[in-house]
Structure formats: structure tokens, C-alpha cells
Amino acid sequence: MAEAYVYDAVRTPRGRGKKDGSLHEVPAVRLAAKTLEAIRDRNGLDTGTVDDIIFGCVDPVGEAGAVIPRAAAFEAGYADKAPGIQLSRFCASGLDAINLGAAKIAQGADDIVIAGGVESMSRIGMGAAGGAWFMDPSVGFPGWFVPQGISADLIATKYGFSRDDVDAYAVESQKRAAHSWKKGWFKNSVIPVKDQNGLVILDHDEHMRPDTDMQALASLNPSFVMPGEMGGFDAVAVQKHPEIETVNHVHHAGNSSGIVDGAAAVLLGSKKAGKSMGLKPRARIRAFANIGSEPVLMLTGPVDVTEKLLQRARMKISDIDLFELNEAFASVVLRYCQAFDIPHDKMNVAGGAIAMGHPLGATGAMILGTVLDELERRDLNTALVTLCIGAGMGTATIIERV
């Protein structure tokens, strides 16, 4: 089988996902188009040779629906030959887009694929696409439905993470993100979003709060007490996990991922395609996997899928130089590090979604690009990228520099 290589990775800044956010005026299709334009222009890409454009989008409704990567290709001025497809595996959609593109290349079905994702959360509200699991009781009951925040607090309770633990992790995420921006570590990958007159709308991640400290976070009330206690979801969690007596609610807006707008794109290709484009590969997709996990804990899928992926790749945790795990909630990362005894200096080294935000369909592609930059900057070799997923799933990918 052929190998799939990463030739380039770009992303937009993350705009605050509210009406006063800088990217609110930019529809998702234009955010996606900005990344397609950058991939084309940075690499001198003949867009008529692109075999597919695969983008994740978790809420593909309204202006973000109807196969958004195809519409973005029109917006970006791509050749008509470049098709598009959108997919959703909730938070892992952007990474699954990359994995699907890599699989198509490995099978010889495609030579050049652009994969990534987009979400405009200030314009299309989270959950706008609906879903049977949390809307239809006949599905929710056997699936043990609870909101993600309850699952995050359940993880903290079950595995012994205190309010101070999750808050301290959040403070460190903010510090790392601010340091990364200050040092210019994102300059090669982040493309500014400009208006039709060429004026910059946003050129940095605006969700960050670099002055966050433990005292500021301590003033925030836990976010999921009411749905847990009044909504009855704590009882569901305890019924499923009777080893705990009560759920300790520790998560709030300051130690959970931020709602933001953004897009990302990754240029994938075979070795032959790279030569034809005159490009040198930056990394190869070594292996990837998906898995289902227990739906009430829900967000422990990264642990399960990492075990599966390492077994398939015949690798060990010690073979991985850097880890990138989406910071959906602080307890998700703390549990992952606990499960594999991973030191924090190998995890999310440039900061994560608690500081910079989580544009659902785009995040998987964003963090793959981030960790690739870090491998190059630190002269390291191998990274594992993974995300927790709603309804209890996990996706993970191993990349290796070449």
C-alpha cells in the first residue's frame, strides 16, 4: 500500500464564538475558503489535480450545510474538478477527515487530498443539527445519555481530580498558549482572516485569557450542578458507576474548552504526488484508529483508542515524543496522562482548547498541525493526536516526521 504524507497544514485564528467575536461576520464557508486559498497559494497547487476535499463540520445546517467544502472550493476559486465531502464524528471530525484522506491515498484511490474542518459557532449554535441520542428518550435511555459536562465531572470524581487539579491545569494551558503566541510559534501555520478589502479582521486567537490565575478561577461556580442535581443526570451517572456515591462538580467555563469560530486544512498526498508538485513531505501518517467507549464516562475514549492504536502500530507509549489531546475539559487530559503516566511536558506543549478554543469540526486538523510544528521546532520525530468524542468514542492518529 502507498503511504500518505503531510505536505502542509494551515489554520485560521480562533475567533470568540459570540456575536461580538471578530469572526462572527465571516460565514463558515468563507473561513473554510481562506484555508483552501492558503494551501493553494503556499504550495503552488494546481487545484485541478486535487482528488478530494474532505472537511469535518459538526453542525452542517443552514449556511454551513450542503457539502460545505465543495462550496468553499467555489469561494476559493478552485478548479471544477476538485470535489468535496463533509463528515461528522463530533469533536474528532477534523482528524477523521485527515484519516479518511490518508486511507484513500494509501489505497491508491486518490493522490492529492485536502482535509480539515470548519465551524462557525457564533453563527450556527452548538447542537443546531439536533440528534436522536439526546432528543429521543427511546434512544437516550439505553444509551445512558448524560450531558458532556456531567461526564467530565464524573471522570474527575472517579479518578480523583480535585477542583484545584482541574483549575491548575487550565492556568497552565493559558500560560502555554500565551507563551507560544509571544514566541511566534504559530506564525508559520496561522493565516490571518481578511475582509474583501484586504484588511485584517483577525490574526490571533482571541479567546485566550493569559492573566488567568487560580484565584480568578476559584471565583467561578461549577457549571453542571443544576443539570446534574435538578436534571437527574447525576443519578444516571451514579447508577451506571455505583463505585462513586456522588458526582463532584468541578468544571466551569474557565477549565473547559472555549466556544470559537475557525477552520483548518491539511495538504495530503502520495510520495509520487509530492514529487509532481515539487514539494517535500513534512510527515507521514503512520497509523490511525477509532473506537467506541462507555457512554456515561463518554470522554475517556482517547485512552481506549490509544491502546488500540499502539497495539495495531506495534508501538509503545515510550515511542511517542509528543502528545496532543484536545482539551475539551481539564479532567479529560488529566485522566489520559494518569492512564499512561505521561509527563505534562510532553502533552499539549503549546497550549490547548481551554485557552484557545475548540471550533468543533476544525479542531482535529488544527491540533495535528500544531503538534507537527512542535515536532519540527523541537527536532523530535513522532506524535500522537487524539480527541474525546460525544456519545463515547475516540479517534487517534500517529504522525512521523520524514
Side-chain angles (χ1 to χ4, degrees):
M1 296 176 66
E3 290 188 315
Y5 294 90
V6 177
Y7 288 95
D8 199 9
V10 301
R11 72 169 177 92
T12 69
R14 297 167 171 103
R16 192 168 54 250
K18 298 181 179 180
K19 291 184 178 180
D20 62 351
S22 295
L23 296 182
H24 176 66
E25 65 185 89
V26 187
V29 66
R30 294 205 177 101
L31 291 176
K34 296 296 183 185
T35 64
L36 294 182
E37 291 169 1
I39 286 289
R40 177 195 61 206
D41 297 344
R42 285 160 55 114
N43 298 285
L45 181 64
D46 176 0
T47 59
T49 64
V50 175
D51 292 303
D52 213 348
I53 304 171
I54 309 171
F55 264 47
C57 185
V58 174
D59 285 299
V61 297
E63 64 189 24
V67 191
I68 191 169
R70 178 60 169 167
F74 294 149
E75 175 77 8
Y78 271 46
D80 291 345
K81 290 182 178 180
I85 182 173
Q86 68 190 26
L87 59 81
S88 175
R89 199 191 301 270
F90 294 144
C91 299
S93 300
L95 186 60
D96 259 314
I98 293 169
N99 294 343
L100 176 57
K104 294 176 73 178
I105 291 168
Q107 288 289 339
D110 291 343
D111 292 314
I112 301 172
V113 174
I114 301 174
V118 63
E119 212 79 43
S120 178
M121 301 182 75
S122 71
R123 298 174 67 91
I124 305 293
M126 185 166 58
W133 187 48
F134 49 85
M135 297 181 71
D136 184 345
S138 69
V139 177
F141 288 155
W144 294 86
F145 170 73
V146 297
Q148 282 193 2
I150 302 298
S151 295
D153 287 341
L154 176 62
I155 291 169
T157 305
K158 182 178 175 69
Y159 294 105
F161 304 122
S162 68
R163 171 67 182 262
D164 282 349
D165 291 333
V166 292
D167 282 357
Y169 182 87
V171 170
E172 181 63 18
S173 178
Q174 294 282 356
K175 288 181 178 178
R176 290 184 178 191
H179 181 73
S180 299
W181 272 103
K182 182 178 180 180
K183 292 294 185 179
W185 292 353
F186 298 128
K187 65 181 180 181
N188 293 327
S189 298
V190 176
I191 54 169
V193 177
K194 300 179 180 180
D195 65 16
Q196 294 180 340
N197 296 316
L199 301 177
V200 174
I201 298 173
L202 185 65
D203 62 1
H204 63 281
D205 295 322
E206 69 173 345
H207 181 270
M208 296 188 302
R209 295 176 175 86
D211 296 329
T212 297
D213 57 23
M214 292 292 288
Q215 289 72 29
L217 294 184
S219 69
L220 300 177
N221 293 323
S223 297
F224 305 104
V225 174
M226 184 173 290
E229 297 180 355
M230 302 296 290
F233 291 113
D234 281 2
V236 176
V238 173
Q239 185 176 5
K240 183 68 172 176
H241 291 273
E243 68 275 14
I244 68 167
E245 295 183 1
T246 59
V247 177
N248 182 23
H249 292 287
V250 297
H251 287 92
H252 49 75
N255 56 34
S256 308
S257 57
I259 294 173
V260 293
D261 305 333
V266 176
L267 177 61
L268 303 170
S270 64
K271 181 175 288 188
K272 179 180 178 181
K275 288 183 178 179
S276 69
M277 293 185 290
L279 299 177
K280 181 181 178 181
R282 298 175 63 188
R284 71 182 179 104
I285 306 293
R286 178 160 177 171
F288 53 85
N290 300 98
I291 203 168
S293 61
E294 199 271 291
V296 178
L297 278 176
M298 192 188 306
L299 307 174
T300 54
V303 174
D304 300 330
V305 76
T306 294
E307 292 172 344
K308 177 180 180 179
L309 179 57
L310 291 174
Q311 183 178 7
R312 285 192 169 188
R314 299 180 181 179
M315 298 176 69
K316 304 183 296 295
I317 280 288
S318 58
D319 295 324
I320 307 299
D321 296 316
L322 293 178
F323 296 84
E324 195 74 22
L325 168 56
N326 182 41
E327 295 174 353
F329 299 89
S331 66
V332 173
V333 187
L334 292 175
R335 170 54 191 155
Y336 189 88
C337 291
Q338 180 190 67
F340 296 112
D341 195 22
I342 297 169
H344 197 185
D345 61 4
K346 288 188 174 184
M347 170 64 70
N348 297 349
V349 294
I354 289 174
M356 294 180 284
H358 174 26
L360 306 179
T363 302
M366 285 186 170
I367 64 177
L368 185 141
T370 295
V371 81
L372 176 54
D373 286 344
E374 286 303 303
L375 285 177
E376 293 173 343
R377 193 180 67 80
R378 297 164 183 253
D379 195 22
L380 298 173
N381 188 55
T382 305
L384 189 150
V385 182
T386 184
L387 302 93
C388 60
I389 308 171
M393 295 182 282
T395 295
T397 304
I398 295 172
I399 63 171
E400 184 178 67
R401 285 179 62 201
V402 293

PDB file of all heavy atoms in Angstrom, residues 127-160:
ATOM      1  N   GLY A 127     -25.102  22.164  18.605  1.00  0.00           N
ATOM      2  CA  GLY A 127     -26.270  21.309  18.704  1.00  0.00           C
ATOM      3  C   GLY A 127     -27.372  21.667  17.730  1.00  0.00           C
ATOM      4  O   GLY A 127     -28.459  21.071  17.769  1.00  0.00           O
ATOM      5  N   ALA A 128     -27.112  22.615  16.819  1.00  0.00           N
ATOM      6  CA  ALA A 128     -28.146  23.050  15.882  1.00  0.00           C
ATOM      7  C   ALA A 128     -28.611  21.935  14.969  1.00  0.00           C
ATOM      8  O   ALA A 128     -29.741  21.956  14.479  1.00  0.00           O
ATOM      9  CB  ALA A 128     -27.626  24.221  15.040  1.00  0.00           C
ATOM     10  N   ALA A 129     -27.763  20.937  14.727  1.00  0.00           N
ATOM     11  CA  ALA A 129     -28.138  19.829  13.858  1.00  0.00           C
ATOM     12  C   ALA A 129     -29.024  18.804  14.551  1.00  0.00           C
ATOM     13  O   ALA A 129     -29.526  17.878  13.914  1.00  0.00           O
ATOM     14  CB  ALA A 129     -26.876  19.126  13.319  1.00  0.00           C
ATOM     15  N   GLY A 130     -29.217  18.962  15.865  1.00  0.00           N
ATOM     16  CA  GLY A 130     -30.068  18.025  16.595  1.00  0.00           C
ATOM     17  C   GLY A 130     -29.410  16.670  16.761  1.00  0.00           C
ATOM     18  O   GLY A 130     -28.201  16.521  16.607  1.00  0.00           O
ATOM     19  N   GLY A 131     -30.206  15.673  17.073  1.00  0.00           N
ATOM     20  CA  GLY A 131     -29.671  14.325  17.222  1.00  0.00           C
ATOM     21  C   GLY A 131     -30.560  13.453  18.084  1.00  0.00           C
ATOM     22  O   GLY A 131     -31.105  13.897  19.101  1.00  0.00           O
ATOM     23  N   ALA A 132     -30.714  12.203  17.678  1.00  0.00           N
ATOM     24  CA  ALA A 132     -31.619  11.290  18.373  1.00  0.00           C
ATOM     25  C   ALA A 132     -31.151  10.972  19.787  1.00  0.00           C
ATOM     26  O   ALA A 132     -31.961  10.810  20.704  1.00  0.00           O
ATOM     27  CB  ALA A 132     -31.756   9.989  17.568  1.00  0.00           C
ATOM     28  N   TRP A 133     -29.813  10.879  19.987  1.00  0.00           N
ATOM     29  CA  TRP A 133     -29.307  10.403  21.281  1.00  0.00           C
ATOM     30  C   TRP A 133     -29.771  11.283  22.441  1.00  0.00           C
ATOM     31  O   TRP A 133     -30.162  10.803  23.495  1.00  0.00           O
ATOM     32  CB  TRP A 133     -27.779  10.318  21.245  1.00  0.00           C
ATOM     33  CG  TRP A 133     -27.179   9.692  22.462  1.00  0.00           C
ATOM     34  CD1 TRP A 133     -27.571   8.520  23.051  1.00  0.00           C
ATOM     35  CD2 TRP A 133     -26.107  10.196  23.248  1.00  0.00           C
ATOM     36  NE1 TRP A 133     -26.791   8.262  24.159  1.00  0.00           N
ATOM     37  CE2 TRP A 133     -25.877   9.272  24.307  1.00  0.00           C
ATOM     38  CE3 TRP A 133     -25.295  11.326  23.160  1.00  0.00           C
ATOM     39  CZ2 TRP A 133     -24.883   9.454  25.252  1.00  0.00           C
ATOM     40  CZ3 TRP A 133     -24.291  11.494  24.109  1.00  0.00           C
ATOM     41  CH2 TRP A 133     -24.094  10.569  25.138  1.00  0.00           C
ATOM     42  N   PHE A 134     -29.731  12.592  22.230  1.00  0.00           N
ATOM     43  CA  PHE A 134     -30.105  13.484  23.325  1.00  0.00           C
ATOM     44  C   PHE A 134     -31.487  14.111  23.151  1.00  0.00           C
ATOM     45  O   PHE A 134     -31.919  14.899  23.986  1.00  0.00           O
ATOM     46  CB  PHE A 134     -29.061  14.584  23.531  1.00  0.00           C
ATOM     47  CG  PHE A 134     -28.639  15.312  22.281  1.00  0.00           C
ATOM     48  CD1 PHE A 134     -29.352  16.375  21.802  1.00  0.00           C
ATOM     49  CD2 PHE A 134     -27.495  14.905  21.600  1.00  0.00           C
ATOM     50  CE1 PHE A 134     -28.944  17.058  20.666  1.00  0.00           C
ATOM     51  CE2 PHE A 134     -27.081  15.576  20.457  1.00  0.00           C
ATOM     52  CZ  PHE A 134     -27.811  16.659  19.985  1.00  0.00           C
ATOM     53  N   MET A 135     -32.219  13.740  22.087  1.00  0.00           N
ATOM     54  CA  MET A 135     -33.548  14.308  21.879  1.00  0.00           C
ATOM     55  C   MET A 135     -34.660  13.261  21.924  1.00  0.00           C
ATOM     56  O   MET A 135     -35.824  13.599  22.131  1.00  0.00           O
ATOM     57  CB  MET A 135     -33.599  15.050  20.537  1.00  0.00           C
ATOM     58  CG  MET A 135     -32.659  16.241  20.463  1.00  0.00           C
ATOM     59  SD  MET A 135     -32.741  17.131  18.897  1.00  0.00           S
ATOM     60  CE  MET A 135     -34.349  17.910  19.013  1.00  0.00           C
ATOM     61  N   ASP A 136     -34.314  11.993  21.720  1.00  0.00           N
ATOM     62  CA  ASP A 136     -35.311  10.920  21.676  1.00  0.00           C
ATOM     63  C   ASP A 136     -35.099  10.011  22.881  1.00  0.00           C
ATOM     64  O   ASP A 136     -34.104   9.287  22.955  1.00  0.00           O
ATOM     65  CB  ASP A 136     -35.142  10.133  20.375  1.00  0.00           C
ATOM     66  CG  ASP A 136     -36.209   9.056  20.201  1.00  0.00           C
ATOM     67  OD1 ASP A 136     -36.901   8.722  21.177  1.00  0.00           O
ATOM     68  OD2 ASP A 136     -36.339   8.537  19.072  1.00  0.00           O
ATOM     69  N   PRO A 137     -36.015  10.013  23.869  1.00  0.00           N
ATOM     70  CA  PRO A 137     -35.827   9.188  25.058  1.00  0.00           C
ATOM     71  C   PRO A 137     -35.648   7.705  24.766  1.00  0.00           C
ATOM     72  O   PRO A 137     -34.948   7.006  25.501  1.00  0.00           O
ATOM     73  CB  PRO A 137     -37.113   9.438  25.860  1.00  0.00           C
ATOM     74  CG  PRO A 137     -37.591  10.776  25.399  1.00  0.00           C
ATOM     75  CD  PRO A 137     -37.217  10.852  23.940  1.00  0.00           C
ATOM     76  N   SER A 138     -36.247   7.223  23.692  1.00  0.00           N
ATOM     77  CA  SER A 138     -36.110   5.800  23.373  1.00  0.00           C
ATOM     78  C   SER A 138     -34.686   5.443  22.985  1.00  0.00           C
ATOM     79  O   SER A 138     -34.287   4.283  23.066  1.00  0.00           O
ATOM     80  CB  SER A 138     -37.062   5.418  22.225  1.00  0.00           C
ATOM     81  OG  SER A 138     -36.663   6.009  20.998  1.00  0.00           O
ATOM     82  N   VAL A 139     -33.922   6.437  22.567  1.00  0.00           N
ATOM     83  CA  VAL A 139     -32.503   6.234  22.264  1.00  0.00           C
ATOM     84  C   VAL A 139     -31.646   6.610  23.477  1.00  0.00           C
ATOM     85  O   VAL A 139     -30.668   5.941  23.796  1.00  0.00           O
ATOM     86  CB  VAL A 139     -32.083   7.071  21.040  1.00  0.00           C
ATOM     87  CG1 VAL A 139     -30.585   6.917  20.761  1.00  0.00           C
ATOM     88  CG2 VAL A 139     -32.887   6.661  19.818  1.00  0.00           C
ATOM     89  N   GLY A 140     -32.034   7.693  24.147  1.00  0.00           N
ATOM     90  CA  GLY A 140     -31.248   8.191  25.274  1.00  0.00           C
ATOM     91  C   GLY A 140     -31.216   7.242  26.451  1.00  0.00           C
ATOM     92  O   GLY A 140     -30.175   7.098  27.114  1.00  0.00           O
ATOM     93  N   PHE A 141     -32.318   6.556  26.735  1.00  0.00           N
ATOM     94  CA  PHE A 141     -32.344   5.658  27.896  1.00  0.00           C
ATOM     95  C   PHE A 141     -31.379   4.486  27.745  1.00  0.00           C
ATOM     96  O   PHE A 141     -30.528   4.262  28.612  1.00  0.00           O
ATOM     97  CB  PHE A 141     -33.762   5.162  28.159  1.00  0.00           C
ATOM     98  CG  PHE A 141     -34.684   6.209  28.713  1.00  0.00           C
ATOM     99  CD1 PHE A 141     -36.053   6.116  28.540  1.00  0.00           C
ATOM    100  CD2 PHE A 141     -34.188   7.312  29.404  1.00  0.00           C
ATOM    101  CE1 PHE A 141     -36.909   7.094  29.040  1.00  0.00           C
ATOM    102  CE2 PHE A 141     -35.032   8.291  29.911  1.00  0.00           C
ATOM    103  CZ  PHE A 141     -36.403   8.182  29.724  1.00  0.00           C
ATOM    104  N   PRO A 142     -31.457   3.711  26.664  1.00  0.00           N
ATOM    105  CA  PRO A 142     -30.498   2.602  26.538  1.00  0.00           C
ATOM    106  C   PRO A 142     -29.070   3.063  26.308  1.00  0.00           C
ATOM    107  O   PRO A 142     -28.121   2.313  26.559  1.00  0.00           O
ATOM    108  CB  PRO A 142     -31.018   1.814  25.330  1.00  0.00           C
ATOM    109  CG  PRO A 142     -31.833   2.777  24.547  1.00  0.00           C
ATOM    110  CD  PRO A 142     -32.450   3.688  25.567  1.00  0.00           C
ATOM    111  N   GLY A 143     -28.887   4.287  25.832  1.00  0.00           N
ATOM    112  CA  GLY A 143     -27.547   4.840  25.636  1.00  0.00           C
ATOM    113  C   GLY A 143     -27.033   5.576  26.855  1.00  0.00           C
ATOM    114  O   GLY A 143     -25.954   6.158  26.795  1.00  0.00           O
ATOM    115  N   TRP A 144     -27.811   5.568  27.960  1.00  0.00           N
ATOM    116  CA  TRP A 144     -27.401   6.213  29.203  1.00  0.00           C
ATOM    117  C   TRP A 144     -26.990   7.671  28.961  1.00  0.00           C
ATOM    118  O   TRP A 144     -25.935   8.123  29.383  1.00  0.00           O
ATOM    119  CB  TRP A 144     -26.238   5.467  29.854  1.00  0.00           C
ATOM    120  CG  TRP A 144     -26.576   4.093  30.348  1.00  0.00           C
ATOM    121  CD1 TRP A 144     -26.550   2.941  29.614  1.00  0.00           C
ATOM    122  CD2 TRP A 144     -27.003   3.722  31.659  1.00  0.00           C
ATOM    123  NE1 TRP A 144     -26.927   1.868  30.394  1.00  0.00           N
ATOM    124  CE2 TRP A 144     -27.197   2.325  31.665  1.00  0.00           C
ATOM    125  CE3 TRP A 144     -27.206   4.419  32.847  1.00  0.00           C
ATOM    126  CZ2 TRP A 144     -27.610   1.625  32.792  1.00  0.00           C
ATOM    127  CZ3 TRP A 144     -27.617   3.722  33.976  1.00  0.00           C
ATOM    128  CH2 TRP A 144     -27.815   2.344  33.938  1.00  0.00           C
ATOM    129  N   PHE A 145     -27.848   8.433  28.287  1.00  0.00           N
ATOM    130  CA  PHE A 145     -27.472   9.812  27.944  1.00  0.00           C
ATOM    131  C   PHE A 145     -27.280  10.663  29.187  1.00  0.00           C
ATOM    132  O   PHE A 145     -28.106  10.707  30.095  1.00  0.00           O
ATOM    133  CB  PHE A 145     -28.533  10.474  27.063  1.00  0.00           C
ATOM    134  CG  PHE A 145     -28.287  11.954  26.905  1.00  0.00           C
ATOM    135  CD1 PHE A 145     -27.254  12.398  26.099  1.00  0.00           C
ATOM    136  CD2 PHE A 145     -29.027  12.887  27.613  1.00  0.00           C
ATOM    137  CE1 PHE A 145     -26.981  13.756  25.981  1.00  0.00           C
ATOM    138  CE2 PHE A 145     -28.767  14.250  27.497  1.00  0.00           C
ATOM    139  CZ  PHE A 145     -27.745  14.678  26.676  1.00  0.00           C
ATOM    140  N   VAL A 146     -26.142  11.364  29.225  1.00  0.00           N
ATOM    141  CA  VAL A 146     -25.894  12.472  30.144  1.00  0.00           C
ATOM    142  C   VAL A 146     -25.165  13.552  29.359  1.00  0.00           C
ATOM    143  O   VAL A 146     -24.484  13.260  28.378  1.00  0.00           O
ATOM    144  CB  VAL A 146     -25.045  12.060  31.372  1.00  0.00           C
ATOM    145  CG1 VAL A 146     -25.756  11.026  32.221  1.00  0.00           C
ATOM    146  CG2 VAL A 146     -23.666  11.575  30.952  1.00  0.00           C
ATOM    147  N   PRO A 147     -25.279  14.813  29.740  1.00  0.00           N
ATOM    148  CA  PRO A 147     -24.514  15.879  29.068  1.00  0.00           C
ATOM    149  C   PRO A 147     -23.012  15.671  29.279  1.00  0.00           C
ATOM    150  O   PRO A 147     -22.579  15.077  30.270  1.00  0.00           O
ATOM    151  CB  PRO A 147     -24.997  17.153  29.756  1.00  0.00           C
ATOM    152  CG  PRO A 147     -26.313  16.798  30.356  1.00  0.00           C
ATOM    153  CD  PRO A 147     -26.204  15.359  30.744  1.00  0.00           C
ATOM    154  N   GLN A 148     -22.215  16.203  28.366  1.00  0.00           N
ATOM    155  CA  GLN A 148     -20.768  16.028  28.446  1.00  0.00           C
ATOM    156  C   GLN A 148     -20.179  16.577  29.743  1.00  0.00           C
ATOM    157  O   GLN A 148     -19.226  16.005  30.290  1.00  0.00           O
ATOM    158  CB  GLN A 148     -20.078  16.693  27.252  1.00  0.00           C
ATOM    159  CG  GLN A 148     -20.149  15.892  25.976  1.00  0.00           C
ATOM    160  CD  GLN A 148     -19.200  16.409  24.915  1.00  0.00           C
ATOM    161  OE1 GLN A 148     -18.447  17.357  25.134  1.00  0.00           O
ATOM    162  NE2 GLN A 148     -19.237  15.793  23.756  1.00  0.00           N
ATOM    163  N   GLY A 149     -20.706  17.674  30.226  1.00  0.00           N
ATOM    164  CA  GLY A 149     -20.172  18.250  31.451  1.00  0.00           C
ATOM    165  C   GLY A 149     -20.322  17.318  32.646  1.00  0.00           C
ATOM    166  O   GLY A 149     -19.456  17.280  33.535  1.00  0.00           O
ATOM    167  N   ILE A 150     -21.411  16.566  32.686  1.00  0.00           N
ATOM    168  CA  ILE A 150     -21.592  15.573  33.736  1.00  0.00           C
ATOM    169  C   ILE A 150     -20.527  14.488  33.610  1.00  0.00           C
ATOM    170  O   ILE A 150     -19.942  14.035  34.598  1.00  0.00           O
ATOM    171  CB  ILE A 150     -22.999  14.959  33.663  1.00  0.00           C
ATOM    172  CG1 ILE A 150     -24.071  16.049  33.783  1.00  0.00           C
ATOM    173  CG2 ILE A 150     -23.173  13.890  34.739  1.00  0.00           C
ATOM    174  CD1 ILE A 150     -24.057  16.798  35.087  1.00  0.00           C
ATOM    175  N   SER A 151     -20.258  14.070  32.370  1.00  0.00           N
ATOM    176  CA  SER A 151     -19.220  13.065  32.140  1.00  0.00           C
ATOM    177  C   SER A 151     -17.851  13.576  32.584  1.00  0.00           C
ATOM    178  O   SER A 151     -17.067  12.844  33.192  1.00  0.00           O
ATOM    179  CB  SER A 151     -19.175  12.682  30.658  1.00  0.00           C
ATOM    180  OG  SER A 151     -20.366  12.043  30.260  1.00  0.00           O
ATOM    181  N   ALA A 152     -17.546  14.828  32.273  1.00  0.00           N
ATOM    182  CA  ALA A 152     -16.264  15.401  32.682  1.00  0.00           C
ATOM    183  C   ALA A 152     -16.128  15.417  34.201  1.00  0.00           C
ATOM    184  O   ALA A 152     -15.078  15.082  34.754  1.00  0.00           O
ATOM    185  CB  ALA A 152     -16.119  16.811  32.119  1.00  0.00           C
ATOM    186  N   ASP A 153     -17.216  15.793  34.909  1.00  0.00           N
ATOM    187  CA  ASP A 153     -17.188  15.793  36.366  1.00  0.00           C
ATOM    188  C   ASP A 153     -17.133  14.371  36.925  1.00  0.00           C
ATOM    189  O   ASP A 153     -16.500  14.132  37.965  1.00  0.00           O
ATOM    190  CB  ASP A 153     -18.416  16.527  36.903  1.00  0.00           C
ATOM    191  CG  ASP A 153     -18.331  18.038  36.725  1.00  0.00           C
ATOM    192  OD1 ASP A 153     -17.211  18.553  36.534  1.00  0.00           O
ATOM    193  OD2 ASP A 153     -19.386  18.705  36.764  1.00  0.00           O
ATOM    194  N   LEU A 154     -17.779  13.432  36.247  1.00  0.00           N
ATOM    195  CA  LEU A 154     -17.716  12.028  36.657  1.00  0.00           C
ATOM    196  C   LEU A 154     -16.291  11.499  36.554  1.00  0.00           C
ATOM    197  O   LEU A 154     -15.815  10.773  37.445  1.00  0.00           O
ATOM    198  CB  LEU A 154     -18.667  11.191  35.806  1.00  0.00           C
ATOM    199  CG  LEU A 154     -18.648   9.671  36.047  1.00  0.00           C
ATOM    200  CD1 LEU A 154     -19.060   9.335  37.478  1.00  0.00           C
ATOM    201  CD2 LEU A 154     -19.571   8.969  35.039  1.00  0.00           C
ATOM    202  N   ILE A 155     -15.595  11.851  35.471  1.00  0.00           N
ATOM    203  CA  ILE A 155     -14.199  11.439  35.313  1.00  0.00           C
ATOM    204  C   ILE A 155     -13.351  11.995  36.456  1.00  0.00           C
ATOM    205  O   ILE A 155     -12.539  11.281  37.057  1.00  0.00           O
ATOM    206  CB  ILE A 155     -13.652  11.900  33.947  1.00  0.00           C
ATOM    207  CG1 ILE A 155     -14.316  11.120  32.812  1.00  0.00           C
ATOM    208  CG2 ILE A 155     -12.129  11.735  33.880  1.00  0.00           C
ATOM    209  CD1 ILE A 155     -14.041  11.680  31.433  1.00  0.00           C
ATOM    210  N   ALA A 156     -13.549  13.274  36.757  1.00  0.00           N
ATOM    211  CA  ALA A 156     -12.791  13.882  37.854  1.00  0.00           C
ATOM    212  C   ALA A 156     -13.069  13.170  39.174  1.00  0.00           C
ATOM    213  O   ALA A 156     -12.147  12.915  39.968  1.00  0.00           O
ATOM    214  CB  ALA A 156     -13.139  15.361  37.970  1.00  0.00           C
ATOM    215  N   THR A 157     -14.330  12.829  39.413  1.00  0.00           N
ATOM    216  CA  THR A 157     -14.708  12.148  40.648  1.00  0.00           C
ATOM    217  C   THR A 157     -14.118  10.744  40.714  1.00  0.00           C
ATOM    218  O   THR A 157     -13.508  10.350  41.712  1.00  0.00           O
ATOM    219  CB  THR A 157     -16.240  12.067  40.756  1.00  0.00           C
ATOM    220  OG1 THR A 157     -16.796  13.381  40.649  1.00  0.00           O
ATOM    221  CG2 THR A 157     -16.656  11.457  42.091  1.00  0.00           C
ATOM    222  N   LYS A 158     -14.289   9.989  39.632  1.00  0.00           N
ATOM    223  CA  LYS A 158     -13.871   8.586  39.601  1.00  0.00           C
ATOM    224  C   LYS A 158     -12.354   8.433  39.706  1.00  0.00           C
ATOM    225  O   LYS A 158     -11.851   7.499  40.350  1.00  0.00           O
ATOM    226  CB  LYS A 158     -14.380   7.939  38.317  1.00  0.00           C
ATOM    227  CG  LYS A 158     -14.057   6.454  38.160  1.00  0.00           C
ATOM    228  CD  LYS A 158     -14.658   5.904  36.877  1.00  0.00           C
ATOM    229  CE  LYS A 158     -14.248   4.455  36.641  1.00  0.00           C
ATOM    230  NZ  LYS A 158     -14.861   3.531  37.626  1.00  0.00           N
ATOM    231  N   TYR A 159     -11.626   9.351  39.094  1.00  0.00           N
ATOM    232  CA  TYR A 159     -10.172   9.201  39.037  1.00  0.00           C
ATOM    233  C   TYR A 159      -9.425  10.157  39.963  1.00  0.00           C
ATOM    234  O   TYR A 159      -8.204  10.274  39.892  1.00  0.00           O
ATOM    235  CB  TYR A 159      -9.700   9.345  37.596  1.00  0.00           C
ATOM    236  CG  TYR A 159     -10.212   8.221  36.727  1.00  0.00           C
ATOM    237  CD1 TYR A 159     -11.256   8.434  35.823  1.00  0.00           C
ATOM    238  CD2 TYR A 159      -9.686   6.944  36.830  1.00  0.00           C
ATOM    239  CE1 TYR A 159     -11.745   7.396  35.042  1.00  0.00           C
ATOM    240  CE2 TYR A 159     -10.169   5.894  36.053  1.00  0.00           C
ATOM    241  CZ  TYR A 159     -11.201   6.130  35.159  1.00  0.00           C
ATOM    242  OH  TYR A 159     -11.693   5.096  34.387  1.00  0.00           O
ATOM    243  N   GLY A 160     -10.172  10.855  40.821  1.00  0.00           N
ATOM    244  CA  GLY A 160      -9.545  11.579  41.915  1.00  0.00           C
ATOM    245  C   GLY A 160      -8.949  12.930  41.594  1.00  0.00           C
ATOM    246  O   GLY A 160      -7.952  13.333  42.199  1.00  0.00           O
TER     247      GLY A 160
END
